[in-house]
Amino acid sequence: MSDENYLNHPNFGLLFRMCLVDANRELFTTLYAQRLFFLVSIGDDGLEFEPVGRADARLAVENRIRQLRRLGSPPEHTELLKLYKQTFQ
């Protein structure tokens, strides 16, 4: 079962959710090119988009992969690992 989430950015169009970063932030990338990355958080004023570089996005995904491995969540870990390989390798 795939739990895909999308978000509409005011300037860059449809964004694809890569992973949860922490309790209030998620990492999104542009849907088609997967070249632009955003940390999206829900604040008091609504959604806040923070652009991040490719290296920072890669590090965020690697940290989430490690966290999932420690928590013992095999299905989510496997899916995120596959997405990581498609995006960054």
Side-chain angles (χ1 to χ4, degrees):
M1 182 171 145
S2 180
D3 186 24
E4 294 181 356
N5 292 316
Y6 299 94
L7 187 63
N8 194 20
H9 186 279
N11 296 326
F12 297 105
L14 205 56
L15 302 178
F16 172 73
R17 178 182 176 253
M18 293 190 70
C19 68
L20 180 69
V21 174
D22 58 35
N24 296 325
R25 296 187 324 168
E26 298 177 87
L27 181 67
F28 282 81
T29 184
T30 50
L31 182 62
Y32 298 107
Q34 294 182 350
R35 301 271 183 204
L36 302 172
F37 299 91
F38 300 90
L39 284 174
V40 179
S41 57
I42 299 174
D44 295 334
D45 299 331
L47 294 176
E48 297 175 14
F49 294 89
E50 177 187 345
V52 294
R54 186 173 179 82
D56 291 334
R58 183 178 182 160
L59 183 62
V61 174
E62 288 171 351
N63 288 337
R64 182 64 178 164
I65 289 171
R66 281 189 218 96
Q67 183 182 34
L68 290 172
R69 189 177 14 210
R70 275 180 267 152
L71 293 174
S73 179
E76 191 177 352
H77 177 267
T78 304
E79 273 193 49
L80 187 56
L81 195 56
K82 180 180 170 187
L83 181 63
Y84 172 83
K85 288 178 181 178
Q86 289 174 347
T87 306
F88 298 109
Q89 294 182 351

